[in-house]
Amino acid sequence: MKKLTLIVHADVEQALADVLRGMDQVTGFTFTRVEGHGAQDIEDPRLSARDLVVGYTPHVRVDIVLENQDVDSVLAALERSHCGMTGRCHYWVTNVERHGRL
């Protein structure tokens, strides 16, 4: 199992949720609100005046547990989607040692 973690701007949350719900490989996902800080944010033309004044941008962290063989196809589908995250998403993939429900 793998965990795919995405960090996206908060304004794409709903559109991204719709895309993820439409993928057979994704059986569930978790959204967590986070605050983005980074030098690249200052040069982002899509930032609001509020984002520039407060010094951080509202982001959403998305955690998805996937079968190993599904990671590449999910990433490819996300790249093809038109949910507004193109060029605005950071991601990483980590191993999941155990997975289940209690």
Side-chain angles (χ1 to χ4, degrees):
M1 301 290 293
K2 300 286 186 186
K3 180 175 72 163
L4 172 61
T5 300
L6 310 168
I7 304 293
V8 299
H9 198 280
D11 66 354
V12 302
E13 180 178 358
Q14 188 59 53
L16 178 56
D18 293 342
V19 169
L20 291 172
R21 283 187 198 105
M23 293 184 186
D24 292 336
Q25 307 95 320
V26 177
T27 59
F29 52 90
T30 301
F31 281 168
T32 307
R33 276 137 192 74
V34 296
E35 297 172 353
H37 300 266
Q40 73 279 0
D41 291 336
I42 295 170
E43 299 174 14
D44 186 343
R46 296 169 291 222
L47 293 182
S48 70
R50 176 227 170 258
D51 296 342
L52 294 170
V53 170
V54 298
Y56 64 84
T57 55
H59 286 78
V60 174
R61 175 180 170 148
V62 186
D63 291 302
I64 310 163
V65 175
L66 298 166
E67 296 293 335
N68 292 355
Q69 69 271 13
D70 291 335
V71 172
D72 290 336
S73 63
V74 168
L75 284 170
L78 289 171
E79 283 185 305
R80 289 189 308 270
S81 73
H82 299 287
C83 64
M85 66 179 228
T86 303
R88 304 172 71 192
C89 175
H90 297 277
Y91 77 90
W92 56 91
V93 178
T94 55
N95 289 319
V96 175
E97 289 186 30
R98 240 170 145 168
H99 177 268
R101 294 182 177 261
L102 295 176

